[in-house]
Amino acid sequence: MQQCTNTAIGIIIVAAGRGERAGSSVEGPKQYRRIGGKPVITHTLARFLAWPKTARIVTVIHPDDAALFEIARSDLVGGENILVCFGGATRQQSVLAGLRALSNGGVTHVMIHDAVRPFIDEDLLERIATGIEAGDTCLLPAMPVTDTLKRGDTAGLVVETVPRAGLFAAQTPQTFSYPAIVKAHEAAKESGRDNFTDDASIAEWAGLAVRLVEGSPDNVKLTLQKDIAMADAKLTRTALPDVRTGNGYDVHQLVPGDGVTLCGIFIPHDQALKGHSDADVALHALTDALLATCGAGDIGDHFPPSDPQWKGAPSRIFLEHAARIVRKAGGTIMNADISLIAEAPKIGPHRQAMREKLSEILAISLDRCSVKATTNETIGFVGRREGIAAIATATVVFAGDAR
Ligand code: MG
């Protein structure tokens, strides 16, 4: 699209309503209710602040809401640049106040948007911008009506079925040439009309051509308490998942013996691992990895080597304990991955049994359990068969939003 360099789009966010249909709340009118942890209007403003073609934003608020608005804009990048003016008794009066507030801003066009439509998306803004570039004076985003429409009488009986062909549900931001809509609004005020429910109606009344632009099904107006609850659920679903990764490392010394226990599986061998417990380096490393996902210290904090009760203990009790701590903290174990570093014995023949053991101990599916092995190419303490090392990684998802 060829960007017309002398286009400057001002934004009016209409937020002066009291929103009685959404019920009363300690958080204030519906535009200040919190969805996804932030006021509705904060989400709406963030969308316009992020759009590169926004030249100026004015928010029209109720005089009683000044403190609420300051809170709502406080965590917006660029929020300090938003102009604020007070609205009037009707929506029409509030929009006119917003239009007048933009009079010195040098804007050529204006988008007039409901504060309670927080799901306005950039694709829709761009479709409107395309209309501006094409020279349209008035642009109305709208969705074709899909429900069958009935006209009823006062007794609650259907009078007729209204053909829905050519019918559209109006959305915002309704967008206009700035001088044209100012003139139409001032003329409407002059003639004593103050009951227009949207700005396209005023443009139509003034004889301006209003072009339909494809709206967005997501660009809904939050009107009722139920709408606010649904918007909150939608944002919470798309919140940042709290995924945490922990790692662990352990080494035990090899001494003469008859076998080693790795990942809970005993493998006959001409050496044994030295340690206070069964010296299962793999499960020790994984225990540390799990504890790390919820800041719960390390294996030594929970099972001090100085404590005689852990002498010869099977290391699965350490891992089970760590899994319990993670789950108590609200975590769901997604993945456990262990790399064994050993010159001997051969791990390959036991890998499947090891994975099945992890799956059983952690109570997670087999495909979430991984065991890998490598030699140390005969170098270093592992290469000289003086010890076996293990590295483990655990991935855990915690309930709630990471922000
Ligand atoms: Mg250890």
PDB file of all heavy atoms in Angstrom, residues 249-252 274-277 279-285 288 299 315 318, ligand 1:
ATOM      1  N   TYR A 249      23.170 -32.128  38.199  1.00  0.00           N
ATOM      2  CA  TYR A 249      24.405 -32.825  37.826  1.00  0.00           C
ATOM      3  C   TYR A 249      24.884 -33.617  39.031  1.00  0.00           C
ATOM      4  O   TYR A 249      24.807 -33.134  40.162  1.00  0.00           O
ATOM      5  CB  TYR A 249      25.468 -31.799  37.408  1.00  0.00           C
ATOM      6  CG  TYR A 249      26.848 -32.377  37.168  1.00  0.00           C
ATOM      7  CD1 TYR A 249      27.130 -33.071  35.997  1.00  0.00           C
ATOM      8  CD2 TYR A 249      27.860 -32.229  38.119  1.00  0.00           C
ATOM      9  CE1 TYR A 249      28.401 -33.611  35.788  1.00  0.00           C
ATOM     10  CE2 TYR A 249      29.125 -32.766  37.909  1.00  0.00           C
ATOM     11  CZ  TYR A 249      29.392 -33.455  36.743  1.00  0.00           C
ATOM     12  OH  TYR A 249      30.641 -33.987  36.528  1.00  0.00           O
ATOM     13  N   ASP A 250      25.362 -34.820  38.806  1.00  0.00           N
ATOM     14  CA  ASP A 250      25.898 -35.608  39.920  1.00  0.00           C
ATOM     15  C   ASP A 250      26.996 -36.546  39.420  1.00  0.00           C
ATOM     16  O   ASP A 250      27.020 -36.925  38.247  1.00  0.00           O
ATOM     17  CB  ASP A 250      24.788 -36.433  40.590  1.00  0.00           C
ATOM     18  CG  ASP A 250      25.214 -36.940  41.973  1.00  0.00           C
ATOM     19  OD1 ASP A 250      26.104 -36.318  42.605  1.00  0.00           O
ATOM     20  OD2 ASP A 250      24.653 -37.958  42.421  1.00  0.00           O
ATOM     21  N   VAL A 251      27.908 -36.871  40.319  1.00  0.00           N
ATOM     22  CA  VAL A 251      29.001 -37.810  40.041  1.00  0.00           C
ATOM     23  C   VAL A 251      29.146 -38.722  41.254  1.00  0.00           C
ATOM     24  O   VAL A 251      29.024 -38.251  42.389  1.00  0.00           O
ATOM     25  CB  VAL A 251      30.357 -37.067  39.846  1.00  0.00           C
ATOM     26  CG1 VAL A 251      31.497 -38.067  39.703  1.00  0.00           C
ATOM     27  CG2 VAL A 251      30.312 -36.145  38.646  1.00  0.00           C
ATOM     28  N   HIS A 252      29.344 -39.995  41.016  1.00  0.00           N
ATOM     29  CA  HIS A 252      29.759 -40.886  42.102  1.00  0.00           C
ATOM     30  C   HIS A 252      30.981 -41.677  41.659  1.00  0.00           C
ATOM     31  O   HIS A 252      31.158 -41.958  40.468  1.00  0.00           O
ATOM     32  CB  HIS A 252      28.620 -41.826  42.518  1.00  0.00           C
ATOM     33  CG  HIS A 252      27.651 -41.171  43.455  1.00  0.00           C
ATOM     34  ND1 HIS A 252      27.633 -41.393  44.805  1.00  0.00           N
ATOM     35  CD2 HIS A 252      26.677 -40.258  43.213  1.00  0.00           C
ATOM     36  CE1 HIS A 252      26.673 -40.668  45.361  1.00  0.00           C
ATOM     37  NE2 HIS A 252      26.076 -39.964  44.413  1.00  0.00           N
ATOM     38  N   LYS A 274      30.159 -45.746  44.709  1.00  0.00           N
ATOM     39  CA  LYS A 274      30.317 -45.481  46.137  1.00  0.00           C
ATOM     40  C   LYS A 274      29.401 -44.320  46.541  1.00  0.00           C
ATOM     41  O   LYS A 274      29.347 -43.297  45.844  1.00  0.00           O
ATOM     42  CB  LYS A 274      31.780 -45.112  46.398  1.00  0.00           C
ATOM     43  CG  LYS A 274      32.136 -44.948  47.855  1.00  0.00           C
ATOM     44  CD  LYS A 274      33.618 -44.597  47.972  1.00  0.00           C
ATOM     45  CE  LYS A 274      33.940 -44.088  49.356  1.00  0.00           C
ATOM     46  NZ  LYS A 274      35.316 -43.561  49.413  1.00  0.00           N
ATOM     47  N   GLY A 275      28.709 -44.502  47.640  1.00  0.00           N
ATOM     48  CA  GLY A 275      27.850 -43.410  48.101  1.00  0.00           C
ATOM     49  C   GLY A 275      27.101 -43.826  49.342  1.00  0.00           C
ATOM     50  O   GLY A 275      27.111 -44.997  49.729  1.00  0.00           O
ATOM     51  N   HIS A 276      26.464 -42.823  49.964  1.00  0.00           N
ATOM     52  CA  HIS A 276      25.741 -43.061  51.206  1.00  0.00           C
ATOM     53  C   HIS A 276      24.477 -43.899  50.938  1.00  0.00           C
ATOM     54  O   HIS A 276      24.190 -44.875  51.610  1.00  0.00           O
ATOM     55  CB  HIS A 276      25.381 -41.714  51.829  1.00  0.00           C
ATOM     56  CG  HIS A 276      24.889 -41.828  53.226  1.00  0.00           C
ATOM     57  ND1 HIS A 276      25.670 -42.365  54.241  1.00  0.00           N
ATOM     58  CD2 HIS A 276      23.708 -41.497  53.793  1.00  0.00           C
ATOM     59  CE1 HIS A 276      24.973 -42.351  55.369  1.00  0.00           C
ATOM     60  NE2 HIS A 276      23.779 -41.822  55.117  1.00  0.00           N
ATOM     61  N   SER A 277      23.748 -43.503  49.883  1.00  0.00           N
ATOM     62  CA  SER A 277      22.553 -44.253  49.480  1.00  0.00           C
ATOM     63  C   SER A 277      22.983 -45.323  48.478  1.00  0.00           C
ATOM     64  O   SER A 277      24.119 -45.782  48.521  1.00  0.00           O
ATOM     65  CB  SER A 277      21.554 -43.299  48.821  1.00  0.00           C
ATOM     66  OG  SER A 277      22.141 -42.747  47.651  1.00  0.00           O
ATOM     67  N   ALA A 279      23.633 -44.699  45.598  1.00  0.00           N
ATOM     68  CA  ALA A 279      24.560 -43.964  44.723  1.00  0.00           C
ATOM     69  C   ALA A 279      24.099 -43.905  43.262  1.00  0.00           C
ATOM     70  O   ALA A 279      24.912 -43.872  42.347  1.00  0.00           O
ATOM     71  CB  ALA A 279      25.973 -44.540  44.814  1.00  0.00           C
ATOM     72  N   ASP A 280      22.763 -43.829  43.082  1.00  0.00           N
ATOM     73  CA  ASP A 280      22.209 -43.766  41.719  1.00  0.00           C
ATOM     74  C   ASP A 280      22.361 -42.332  41.190  1.00  0.00           C
ATOM     75  O   ASP A 280      21.499 -41.471  41.402  1.00  0.00           O
ATOM     76  CB  ASP A 280      20.737 -44.200  41.760  1.00  0.00           C
ATOM     77  CG  ASP A 280      20.111 -44.349  40.390  1.00  0.00           C
ATOM     78  OD1 ASP A 280      20.580 -43.683  39.439  1.00  0.00           O
ATOM     79  OD2 ASP A 280      19.147 -45.122  40.284  1.00  0.00           O
ATOM     80  N   VAL A 281      23.461 -42.083  40.503  1.00  0.00           N
ATOM     81  CA  VAL A 281      23.758 -40.699  40.038  1.00  0.00           C
ATOM     82  C   VAL A 281      22.648 -40.139  39.167  1.00  0.00           C
ATOM     83  O   VAL A 281      22.362 -38.943  39.201  1.00  0.00           O
ATOM     84  CB  VAL A 281      25.074 -40.625  39.222  1.00  0.00           C
ATOM     85  CG1 VAL A 281      26.276 -40.648  40.116  1.00  0.00           C
ATOM     86  CG2 VAL A 281      25.146 -41.680  38.160  1.00  0.00           C
ATOM     87  N   ALA A 282      22.033 -41.008  38.379  1.00  0.00           N
ATOM     88  CA  ALA A 282      20.999 -40.539  37.446  1.00  0.00           C
ATOM     89  C   ALA A 282      19.808 -39.977  38.213  1.00  0.00           C
ATOM     90  O   ALA A 282      19.342 -38.866  37.925  1.00  0.00           O
ATOM     91  CB  ALA A 282      20.556 -41.690  36.545  1.00  0.00           C
ATOM     92  N   LEU A 283      19.324 -40.719  39.199  1.00  0.00           N
ATOM     93  CA  LEU A 283      18.160 -40.238  39.962  1.00  0.00           C
ATOM     94  C   LEU A 283      18.536 -39.047  40.846  1.00  0.00           C
ATOM     95  O   LEU A 283      17.711 -38.166  41.082  1.00  0.00           O
ATOM     96  CB  LEU A 283      17.552 -41.368  40.802  1.00  0.00           C
ATOM     97  CG  LEU A 283      16.955 -42.542  40.017  1.00  0.00           C
ATOM     98  CD1 LEU A 283      16.092 -43.412  40.942  1.00  0.00           C
ATOM     99  CD2 LEU A 283      16.141 -42.095  38.815  1.00  0.00           C
ATOM    100  N   HIS A 284      19.778 -38.994  41.302  1.00  0.00           N
ATOM    101  CA  HIS A 284      20.195 -37.829  42.102  1.00  0.00           C
ATOM    102  C   HIS A 284      20.176 -36.563  41.236  1.00  0.00           C
ATOM    103  O   HIS A 284      19.703 -35.506  41.661  1.00  0.00           O
ATOM    104  CB  HIS A 284      21.615 -38.035  42.668  1.00  0.00           C
ATOM    105  CG  HIS A 284      21.694 -39.134  43.675  1.00  0.00           C
ATOM    106  ND1 HIS A 284      22.841 -39.438  44.369  1.00  0.00           N
ATOM    107  CD2 HIS A 284      20.753 -40.023  44.114  1.00  0.00           C
ATOM    108  CE1 HIS A 284      22.618 -40.464  45.190  1.00  0.00           C
ATOM    109  NE2 HIS A 284      21.353 -40.830  45.044  1.00  0.00           N
ATOM    110  N   ALA A 285      20.720 -36.663  40.021  1.00  0.00           N
ATOM    111  CA  ALA A 285      20.734 -35.493  39.124  1.00  0.00           C
ATOM    112  C   ALA A 285      19.312 -35.053  38.800  1.00  0.00           C
ATOM    113  O   ALA A 285      19.005 -33.856  38.802  1.00  0.00           O
ATOM    114  CB  ALA A 285      21.497 -35.828  37.846  1.00  0.00           C
ATOM    115  N   ASP A 288      17.625 -33.196  41.702  1.00  0.00           N
ATOM    116  CA  ASP A 288      18.051 -31.787  41.735  1.00  0.00           C
ATOM    117  C   ASP A 288      17.349 -30.965  40.654  1.00  0.00           C
ATOM    118  O   ASP A 288      16.956 -29.818  40.881  1.00  0.00           O
ATOM    119  CB  ASP A 288      19.568 -31.687  41.539  1.00  0.00           C
ATOM    120  CG  ASP A 288      20.311 -31.787  42.868  1.00  0.00           C
ATOM    121  OD1 ASP A 288      19.650 -31.785  43.927  1.00  0.00           O
ATOM    122  OD2 ASP A 288      21.562 -31.861  42.842  1.00  0.00           O
ATOM    123  N   ILE A 299      19.222 -31.793  46.618  1.00  0.00           N
ATOM    124  CA  ILE A 299      19.005 -33.087  47.280  1.00  0.00           C
ATOM    125  C   ILE A 299      19.637 -33.135  48.663  1.00  0.00           C
ATOM    126  O   ILE A 299      19.084 -33.718  49.594  1.00  0.00           O
ATOM    127  CB  ILE A 299      19.522 -34.220  46.352  1.00  0.00           C
ATOM    128  CG1 ILE A 299      19.095 -35.602  46.858  1.00  0.00           C
ATOM    129  CG2 ILE A 299      21.040 -34.152  46.161  1.00  0.00           C
ATOM    130  CD1 ILE A 299      19.342 -36.724  45.845  1.00  0.00           C
ATOM    131  N   SER A 315      17.387 -44.730  45.759  1.00  0.00           N
ATOM    132  CA  SER A 315      17.286 -43.300  45.442  1.00  0.00           C
ATOM    133  C   SER A 315      15.911 -42.894  44.915  1.00  0.00           C
ATOM    134  O   SER A 315      15.634 -41.710  44.800  1.00  0.00           O
ATOM    135  CB  SER A 315      18.365 -42.922  44.426  1.00  0.00           C
ATOM    136  OG  SER A 315      19.628 -43.075  45.036  1.00  0.00           O
ATOM    137  N   PHE A 318      14.151 -40.349  46.968  1.00  0.00           N
ATOM    138  CA  PHE A 318      14.536 -38.930  46.808  1.00  0.00           C
ATOM    139  C   PHE A 318      13.742 -38.305  45.652  1.00  0.00           C
ATOM    140  O   PHE A 318      13.245 -37.189  45.745  1.00  0.00           O
ATOM    141  CB  PHE A 318      16.039 -38.782  46.528  1.00  0.00           C
ATOM    142  CG  PHE A 318      16.929 -39.495  47.510  1.00  0.00           C
ATOM    143  CD1 PHE A 318      18.149 -40.012  47.113  1.00  0.00           C
ATOM    144  CD2 PHE A 318      16.561 -39.631  48.850  1.00  0.00           C
ATOM    145  CE1 PHE A 318      18.990 -40.651  48.012  1.00  0.00           C
ATOM    146  CE2 PHE A 318      17.392 -40.280  49.764  1.00  0.00           C
ATOM    147  CZ  PHE A 318      18.605 -40.799  49.334  1.00  0.00           C
TER     148      PHE A 318
HETATM  149 MG    MG B   1      24.678 -38.179  44.550  1.00  0.00          MG
END
